[in-house]
Amino acid sequence: MQVQVKLFAFFREGRFIKEDRELPEGTSAGKVVDDLGIDREEIGVLMINSRHCQFDTTLQEGDIYAIFPVIGGG
Amino acid sequence: MAEINRSTILQTIQQYARESILPLTDAVKIAAKHNCSLRDIETIALEHCITPSRFQRNSLSCPEQLRLFRSRVAIIGCGGLGGRTAELLARIGVGHLLLTDPDIFSESNLNRQIFCNTKSLGYNKVDIVSQELLTINPALTSTPQVRHFNSSSINTADIVVDALDSTEARIELSKLCREQNIPMIHGAVKEWYGQAGIDQASSPLIQTLYTQQKGPAATPKVLPMTVSLIASIQATETCKYLLGHDSPLTGNWLQTDLRQCQFDTIPISYDI
């Protein structure tokens, strides 16, 4: 299935801003994070089609999946 | 102030004002002559469409300027984001700032914290910021608290600015603000990247952005340009709220990337 993955902030460095990815059916949001080499502890927000999701949420064909890191400095 | 006194003061103000602008030195003289505060004089001036000279370049009407003059903003954290937001709000003419921060200025603050310089190292941030802001806006009332925040840091404020640097502290502040039904303008920065938005009961921004209750352990790197950008957004949103303007950040937050020069407005999800 095809899913568009959008990365934000420093997750973009050495990766991409947005990319269409071919993924096996039933791939979870968390699996994509892991495959991108992103530490789950750095995750701030995960959204599928602008709705908040969890690591174990299953992605569907045509989803737009956005991954935001924690930004915490002041 | 008695009504007779007010009308006498107004006459004096009108004598000194030129094209509806009142210079600071004249306002100070009038205050001394009538034995009242600079704040009292400038309030009367604004009530009668005379603008204190230092605000003449603001694109605000007298009623708008007066509204800011009477507003109370609590700034929680007086480092990078907090110091710069406080400076901008003092310059535009917000009348009362409640500044809370337990820290002193140290060398690593020099890259990004306004009023941190080699002379202010070792001094309480809120004390230095308060004193510097008074040289920018002498009618400002600035209440410094050298401590971690609690409900007294916010409960007399119209709005709160989140200028903290810890996930746990932000979650706690968000909860305090919601208990008191005070909106909170969130801001956070790391390296070239930042975010800002409005946290309130109707749109739980902090709950959305910080799904893990604890932040990463490492102290983040922060660039001064990112601090200036996000503090500017925070000051802008604060003023828009105080002036009763709509904001596209109601129900959304702003994500900024200075490397790519991209600014995204993302809807806050309610499905939590």
Side-chain angles (χ1 to χ4, degrees):
Chain A
M1 61 174 176
Q2 275 249 327
V3 168
Q4 186 180 90
V5 179
K6 293 170 83 163
L7 298 178
F8 287 85
F10 49 90
F11 283 168
R12 295 171 167 178
E13 291 179 18
R15 296 189 186 91
F16 53 85
I17 295 173
K18 69 178 173 189
E19 201 175 84
D20 291 320
R21 295 203 136 199
E22 189 57 46
L23 299 172
E25 293 287 334
T27 301
S28 70
K31 180 81 170 52
V32 176
V33 167
D34 298 338
D35 288 348
L36 286 168
I38 291 173
D39 182 349
R40 289 194 180 199
E41 275 198 14
E42 295 227 286
I43 295 292
V45 197
L46 299 174
M47 286 186 160
I48 296 175
N49 303 328
S50 300
R51 301 199 92 84
H52 186 89
C53 67
Q54 315 291 337
F55 288 121
D56 59 7
T57 306
T58 308
L59 289 155
Q60 316 274 354
E61 168 74 37
D63 277 348
I64 299 174
Y65 175 34
I67 306 175
F68 301 84
V70 173
I71 294 179
Chain B
M1 230 186 301
E3 204 44 54
I4 295 170
N5 203 12
R6 281 178 71 91
S7 85
T8 312
I9 291 172
L10 175 59
Q11 276 175 16
T12 318
I13 290 170
Q14 285 166 336
Q15 280 158 18
Y16 277 93
R18 293 286 172 266
E19 293 179 347
S20 301
I21 304 284
L22 183 66
L24 184 59
T25 46
D26 292 334
V28 169
K29 273 187 216 149
I30 299 169
K33 179 177 172 185
H34 292 280
N35 195 31
C36 54
S37 68
L38 172 64
R39 185 173 185 81
D40 290 334
I41 300 305
E42 292 189 335
T43 301
I44 295 172
L46 283 168
E47 284 169 349
H48 295 87
C49 296
I50 293 170
T51 304
S53 178
R54 65 189 177 287
F55 301 135
Q56 64 180 289
R57 298 294 296 278
N58 279 343
S59 54
L60 299 174
S61 65
C62 273
E64 286 176 324
Q65 194 71 65
L66 188 55
R67 208 158 157 175
L68 292 183
F69 208 69
R70 290 180 168 143
S71 295
R72 299 176 66 85
V73 179
I75 301 188
I76 309 301
C78 226
L81 292 176
R84 181 74 68 177
T85 305
E87 185 221 349
L88 292 167
L89 294 177
R91 287 192 188 276
I92 197 174
V94 166
H96 302 270
L97 293 177
L98 314 160
L99 305 172
T100 304
D101 195 314
D103 276 346
I104 57 175
F105 281 127
S106 59
E107 270 189 63
S108 70
N109 300 151
L110 281 164
N111 79 324
R112 69 196 184 283
Q113 299 194 8
I114 195 168
F115 306 129
C116 179
N117 52 48
T118 51
K119 294 194 173 106
S120 62
L121 292 179
Y123 289 92
N124 291 322
K125 293 183 183 184
V126 293
D127 292 336
I128 295 293
V129 172
S130 285
Q131 132 200 330
E132 293 299 321
L133 292 185
L134 277 174
T135 68
I136 290 169
N137 182 356
L140 175 70
T141 307
S142 169
T143 310
Q145 279 192 338
V146 183
R147 52 162 299 140
H148 288 286
F149 65 88
N150 60 19
S151 63
S152 75
S153 313
I154 66 163
N155 62 11
T156 62
D158 298 308
I159 189 166
V160 174
V161 173
D162 159 21
L164 292 162
D165 59 3
S166 120
T167 297
E168 296 91 327
R170 282 197 168 91
I171 290 170
E172 194 195 328
L173 180 63
S174 168
K175 187 163 164 278
L176 264 184
C177 288
R178 300 249 219 103
E179 280 165 9
Q180 312 230 17
N181 206 27
I182 304 173
M184 185 180 96
I185 306 295
H186 163 67
V189 289
K190 180 171 172 171
E191 299 166 13
W192 301 91
Y193 312 101
Q195 62 195 31
I198 308 165
D199 182 61
Q200 50 198 342
S202 54
S203 50
L205 176 62
I206 298 300
Q207 210 176 320
T208 299
L209 293 179
Y210 298 96
T211 50
Q212 310 195 71
Q213 300 290 303
K214 255 181 97 164
T219 309
K221 308 281 188 195
V222 180
L223 292 174
M225 300 79 73
T226 319
V227 169
S228 263
L229 173 69
I230 296 300
S232 293
I233 302 295
Q234 288 183 283
T236 303
E237 292 303 312
T238 300
C239 289
K240 278 151 73 176
Y241 175 82
L242 294 171
L243 293 172
H245 294 332
D246 290 334
S247 169
L249 295 191
T250 303
N252 302 298
W253 87 87
L254 184 69
Q255 189 87 23
T256 67
D257 177 343
L258 280 170
R259 281 284 295 263
Q260 299 294 336
C261 211
Q262 279 191 358
F263 303 85
D264 292 285
T265 304
I266 321 279
I268 296 168
S269 168
Y270 294 81
D271 271 5
I272 295 174

